[in-house]
Amino acid sequence: MSALLEIEDLNVTFNTRYGAVTALDSVSLHVNAGETLGVVGESGCGKSITALSVMGLIPSPPGRIAGGSIRLNGEELTTASPARMRAIRGAEAAMIFQEPMTSLNPVFTVGAQIAEAIMLHQKVGADQAMRAAVALLDRVGIPSPDARARDYPHQLSGGMRQRVMIAMAVSCRPKMLIADEPTTALDVTVQAQIFDLLNEIQRDFGAAIVLITHDMGAIAEMADRVAVMYAGRVIEGATADDVLDHPQHPYARGLIDCIPNIAKGDAALREIPGVVPPLHLLGAGCAFAARCAHANNRCHTEKPKLAAHGHHPAACHAVQEGRI
Amino acid sequence: MTASFFIRRIAYGLLLMLGVVILNFLLIRLAPGDPAVVIAGEMGGIDAQMLAAIRADYGLDKPLPTQLWIYLSNVVQGNLGESFFFNQPVATLISARIGPTILLVLTAQVLSIVIGMFLGVIAARKPNGPLSGFVSVFATIGYAVPVFWTGIMLVILFASVFPIFPVEGMRSVRLRDAGPIAQFFDVAHHLVLPAFTLAIIYLAQYARLSRASMMDVLGSDYIRTARAKGATEQSVLFKHALRNAALPILTVAGLQFGNLISGALLVETVFNWPGMGRLAFDSILRRNYPTVLGVLFFAAAMVVAANILTDLSYRWADPRLRGRE
Amino acid sequence: MTEPTVPEPYVAESPGREAWRMYSRNRTALFGLGLLFVILAITFYGSFFYAGDAYDIVWAPHEPPMVTPEFPLGTDYLGRDIVTGMLKGGGPTMAVGAAAALITMVIGVSLGALAGFYGGWIDTALMRFTEFFQVLPALLFAMVLVTLFSPSLWTIAFAIGVVSWPQTARLTRAEFMKIKELEYVTAARAIGAKNTRIIWKVILPNAAPPLIVSAALTIGVAILFEAGLSFLGLGDPNVMSWGLMIGANRDQLLDAWWPVTFPGLAIFLTVLAVSLVGDGLNDAFNPKLRER
Ligand SMILES: Nc1ncnc2c1ncn2[C@@H]1O[C@H](COP(=O)(O)OP(=O)(O)OP(=O)(O)O)[C@@H](O)[C@H]1O
Ligand SMILES: [Mg+2]
């Protein structure tokens, strides 16, 4: 069976003043219909760029898909026409962004912004679209949706705005929903509500979700499978249980060791010493080598491949050589 | 709340106008020489009888506060004094001239905003493209050219090289008795050069400004959201981005209105446009202060009105300013 | 957290040199500076060393340019030499422009600094005052002032200054409000510096870059103002200036294009040079803007 979304060897480069840098380096991922894939990794490791590639929204210039393939339902997206991509965006694949405060247009009512999404993909009149928008606001748990639909974004709280974003994203019942750190900007209590809402939406609408997050607790709760990214590469991928219980890559171990207690659900990512190297300084070896306690000469000179060894696939020489 | 905002805004505008009246009063008193002579102005032809009449009219023998009071109550009653040269009340004189000035200024304002924003929006799509280069060169040049000189160059060009637009006045004599439609086109035809001359500086500025503001807006999160729902490029540019990018233009256009009137003064002189600027120029040459100060008063009133309109349209365009009800 | 350290020096070591380094990399700005030097040099020569008198009638009226070798730019409607007018006319224009810009800056910076620094009712009162001045169309107001107080280079410079300060005041106020919240100002207060000292020695130097840029642009605007006033015949009648040349020859412009064209070109190039320098300074002080 082929997956709903298949990303294969995706390369994305950016032109910067340091020359062309590789933001995504042979990223491969797949998402099955109806499941949730968690994508984790430190800031700047390419999670958002991966998501934007799927949506065809890489800012270009300076960005560019330099190679690889993205297939949604078997349809190749990297070569799709702009018109076809517009038809897909919002209808078959939708996205929720990190910043609910700035992701809605300040000069239009939230109802109008949802209705617009509906009218872009369905042949319905303005009135009918507005009624559908109100129904969606109701569905995402916004009280007195009729009145709220006439509100402007600045009149709503962050949590409410993120609900509006979700309503907009699911308005055309997409099969693929990408949520890029949907709760990072919100209060902890609101975060839990948004995750609950995403779960419900997934159950009702049968959408597959890619959940990009720093929150390992959310991964434990929501994700079926997990992909761990580091410096533009996927370095470990398996079921959520496997990754959480038996992390392989030293970076993944670091991430998981930092979690105080997953069961309590208040897990937050703590820091691993060191920082992700800037893209233009990436060398020939493993990007994590400088921060890794297990690095040897080979790690500094040769990029490890994502290969199954032992428990599940991880891109690490030390794991593959059985040193850890 | 909009109503109360409107009322507060108008009240403040009236206060500013009161300030202008007091300033006018002070200017005449501060000018060197006998205020009666200053008011009578116009070199020659001042006799003792006329001066005595002016002294009585303005209460110049009374204490200053009384004089101010007399002056104020005259203005409130629409009496801005007499122009002895034209032998007409200043208010009448100006009211015949204010229409052409408003026509010229508003046309220039609309032209510069519409064309400037259009150029800026197109240029913003390709920040390093040729149009972007043109817009910034054009803006730099437009800023540095004296507006009256642009007008003169256009007069030379269109009077002798391409005589397709009239270079003088507002109406053709031969169409004085024509029907309203012919008159309308006649005025529009005469308006082309003065309006473009005046618009060109601001057009260049608005093009540069809207390019910058558009580039800013195009990088914002809500534009990405609009794209993510599958909006077309036109809709992204002209619906989602433009409305936001237009806000700073609106602010600047409001602030520039006074400068636009200053520019109109020069342009009217160059093209013999029968407006207030032309009147002010003629009156200043004749040292006819009541008329000049009357023009200053009306021009300030136009700026105040424009500011109120800008504020209102800003609140209309940006819901964040409207507040919750 | 860190303990309260002594803040950065009030004036960094060599911001001037750094700005110059940025400036000298900007070709348009260097062009502007070069152009400005050329114009200043010509004007200086014309004002102090060139013997001719711009008012002298030296030849037949309306001699076209490039015909008689002695009068390469031709003569005007009275038969006055245009080259002489160009050489003599720049000095007053630039002197008035510079003096007016100075007056503008002095009024604008003082009022803006007071409003921004003290805030409260002082700010409210000064800003109302500023708004009042912004209601008056500047050129018209300047015309009134110049005629009421009889035109001379000083009244013109003064009138232009009186009508143009509000923008400078607003800019200064905004800068002061921003800077007075910064750490080193708080530190200066903490060591007991007096308000006047804080305004002059602490905040003003740090607000200097945008004010310098605005001063450059103000000179350009003032030159345009002076040109406009003399064009209208409201300049000092005893002093030849570029604007006056255009105004005087305006009625015959269809008979002779050259007496109105060359002085206008000179005004344009001067203002262009000044504004290119201003833009260049702006970029040099805000290098980040240029990475776009
Ligand atoms: N417009 C751009 N120009 C140059 N480089 C870019 C651009 N956008 C992203 N990048 C680079 O791509 C890399 C990946 O960025 P991305 O936004 O995907 O990170 P992320 O994993 O989503 O981080 P975060 O958790 O902070 O959202 C970053 O290192 C960044 O430097
Ligand atoms: Mg991201």
Side-chain angles (χ1 to χ4, degrees), chain A residues 228-247:
Chain A
V228 183
M229 292 188 70
Y230 189 80
R233 292 166 68 96
V234 176
I235 51 145
E236 182 158 343
T239 64
D241 290 342
D242 279 351
V243 174
L244 290 171
D245 296 342
H246 308 283

Side-chain angles (χ1 to χ4, degrees), chain B residues 3-229:
Chain B
S4 84
F5 169 78
F6 187 63
I7 290 168
R8 255 186 299 131
R9 215 45 205 76
I10 297 238
Y12 183 51
L14 289 177
L15 203 67
L16 287 172
M17 289 318 295
L18 179 68
V20 176
V21 175
I22 296 176
L23 175 81
N24 278 354
F25 173 80
L26 290 178
L27 282 175
I28 289 191
R29 297 309 177 282
L30 287 177
D34 177 355
V37 176
V38 174
I39 292 170
E42 292 155 66
M43 292 152 282
I46 316 169
D47 50 41
Q49 201 185 340
M50 197 188 253
L51 286 183
I54 291 175
R55 287 213 177 84
D57 268 4
Y58 285 76
L60 293 181
D61 45 354
K62 305 211 169 67
L64 264 187
T66 320
Q67 291 182 30
L68 176 61
W69 180 248
I70 294 174
Y71 187 76
L72 268 177
S73 42
N74 275 340
V75 171
V76 169
Q77 288 161 28
N79 177 6
L80 292 168
E82 287 278 328
S83 163
F84 299 100
F85 177 79
F86 291 101
N87 200 12
Q88 270 183 6
V90 168
T92 319
L93 212 51
I94 293 178
S95 60
R97 304 295 198 102
I98 199 165
T101 295
I102 292 180
L103 179 66
L104 173 62
V105 166
L106 286 188
T107 311
Q109 180 87 316
V110 170
L111 277 180
S112 57
I113 292 181
V114 171
I115 303 179
M117 293 222 318
F118 184 76
L119 286 179
V121 169
I122 308 282
R125 297 178 61 187
K126 297 220 170 67
N128 296 316
L131 187 64
S132 278
F134 171 75
V135 162
S136 57
V137 170
F138 180 41
T140 312
I141 291 178
Y143 170 84
V145 184
V147 61
F148 59 90
W149 188 65
T150 317
I152 285 178
M153 292 296 109
L154 289 179
V155 168
I156 293 177
L157 192 67
F158 283 95
S160 38
V161 190
F162 309 110
I164 47 174
F165 293 116
V167 297
E168 214 186 349
M170 189 170 84
R171 291 166 195 274
S172 312
V173 181
R174 64 191 162 81
L175 290 176
R176 187 137 290 165
D177 302 316
I181 295 175
Q183 296 237 7
F184 172 82
F185 281 106
D186 187 39
V187 170
H189 196 203
H190 280 81
L191 187 56
V192 173
L193 289 183
F196 260 100
T197 304
L198 188 52
I200 222 157
I201 329 169
Y202 301 100
L203 191 162
Q205 278 184 24
Y206 297 154
R208 172 147 78 176
L209 187 64
S210 50
R211 171 175 171 270
S213 138
M214 197 68 182
M215 276 166 52
D216 222 40
V217 169
L218 284 178
S220 62
D221 289 348
Y222 54 83
I223 293 301
R224 193 179 53 189
T225 305
R227 293 213 163 98
K229 52 181 156 176

